[in-house]
Amino acid sequence: QLQLQESGPGLVKPSETLSLTCTVSGGSISSSSYYWDWIRQPPGKGLEWIASIYYTGSTYYNPSLKSRVTISGDTSKNQFSLKLSSVTAADTAVYYCATRSVSYWGYWGQGTLVTVSS
Amino acid sequence: QSALTQPASVSGSPGQSITISCTGTSSDVGGYNYVSWCQQHPGKAPKLMIYEVSNRPSGVSNRFSGSKSGNTASLTISGLQPEDEADYYCSSYTSSNTYVFGTGTRVNVL
């Protein structure tokens, strides 16, 4: 049973870079079975897909965030990470990491709230 | 990319059936059988309910079913139960090799 756990600062200052890590257990990010995704949800609002990484290292980004986002993987730690630069209050959200089997997300982390504020 | 369009809320009494629509375009919902639905209770992570338009993951009640016609996908919940009260989101693969979610629907069990 795959388990995912997000970690990172809960508070980030405007204009700085948000950095989050997802630790995976019960499976390997080197597996060809899954894509590894980040999804966010602003308070009281809907879900937004941010980015994906595949075991080959291929990355995919939401066009609206692409200029500010980097997703990467660390197979030695079985983790994948998200960096979002130049954050504003609009980036305040619960950030989820999740596994995707081609087109659907079967496993999700519990989510972590990141607040952008000075 | 624009979010898929869902009704803000749908209500029903216990035992009734309700249907939630999810409208996109030929570049997403209409172009691929890669529509999924998730359920989200307050403060919880989303849970997959339907994948690839009409497939149910193991452990999901057969009261949940999905379908698609043209650019609109639908989720039907039959025999509505109090625990079905939650937010529901559709999602779709797009022609840009990205993914888009729906605006979300709050299901109220009266």
Side-chain angles (χ1 to χ4, degrees):
Chain A
Q1 176 90 353
L2 273 169
Q3 293 188 323
L4 298 90
Q5 178 68 59
E6 305 89 352
S7 59
L11 181 64
V12 180
K13 290 182 168 55
S15 80
E16 295 189 345
T17 295
L18 178 160
S19 296
L20 295 173
T21 296
C22 182
T23 301
V24 178
S25 58
S28 171
I29 68 167
S30 298
S31 167
S32 61
S33 299
Y34 302 109
Y35 291 77
W36 306 92
D37 288 20
W38 286 98
I39 294 162
R40 71 179 182 178
Q41 185 173 36
K45 296 187 178 181
L47 299 166
E48 180 180 34
W49 175 76
I50 302 171
S52 296
I53 188 167
Y54 194 44
Y55 83 104
T56 57
S58 295
T59 57
Y60 309 86
Y61 296 104
N62 184 323
S64 67
L65 298 169
K66 186 174 182 177
S67 63
R68 299 193 292 130
V69 174
T70 302
I71 189 171
S72 60
D74 185 338
T75 55
S76 67
K77 296 180 179 179
N78 213 30
Q79 296 174 332
F80 62 105
S81 299
L82 174 74
K83 291 188 184 299
L84 179 64
S85 64
S86 305
V87 297
T88 69
D91 296 309
T92 293
V94 174
Y95 285 77
Y96 294 99
C97 57
T99 62
R100 178 166 52 85
S101 300
V102 182
S103 67
Y104 56 92
W105 297 274
Y107 297 93
W108 296 69
Q110 64 184 25
T112 186
L113 174 63
V114 179
T115 301
V116 178
S117 176
S118 55
Chain B
Q1 56 191 26
S2 299
L4 307 175
T5 301
Q6 297 180 231
S9 65
V10 174
S11 299
S13 299
Q16 285 187 331
S17 293
I18 62 168
T19 296
I20 303 168
S21 61
C22 169
T23 301
T25 69
S26 58
S27 296
D28 39 62
V29 174
Y32 309 93
N33 287 325
Y34 286 151
V35 175
S36 62
W37 292 88
C38 63
Q39 174 194 66
Q40 186 180 37
H41 287 107
K44 300 295 186 181
K47 174 189 175 184
L48 180 68
M49 304 303 284
I50 294 288
Y51 67 96
E52 292 171 0
V53 176
S54 60
N55 295 296
R56 259 190 326 273
S58 174
V60 171
S61 171
N62 59 10
R63 297 185 298 104
F64 291 84
S65 61
S67 62
K68 190 184 84 167
S69 177
N71 296 337
T72 299
S74 299
L75 174 71
T76 297
I77 309 174
S78 58
L80 200 62
Q81 297 184 1
E83 59 264 34
D84 299 333
E85 187 160 286
D87 294 326
Y88 292 81
Y89 294 91
C90 62
S91 63
S92 176
Y93 175 75
T94 83
S95 58
S96 301
N97 199 17
T98 61
Y99 289 82
V100 62
F101 282 97
T103 50
T105 298
R106 171 66 56 88
V107 168
N108 298 301
V109 180
L110 303 174

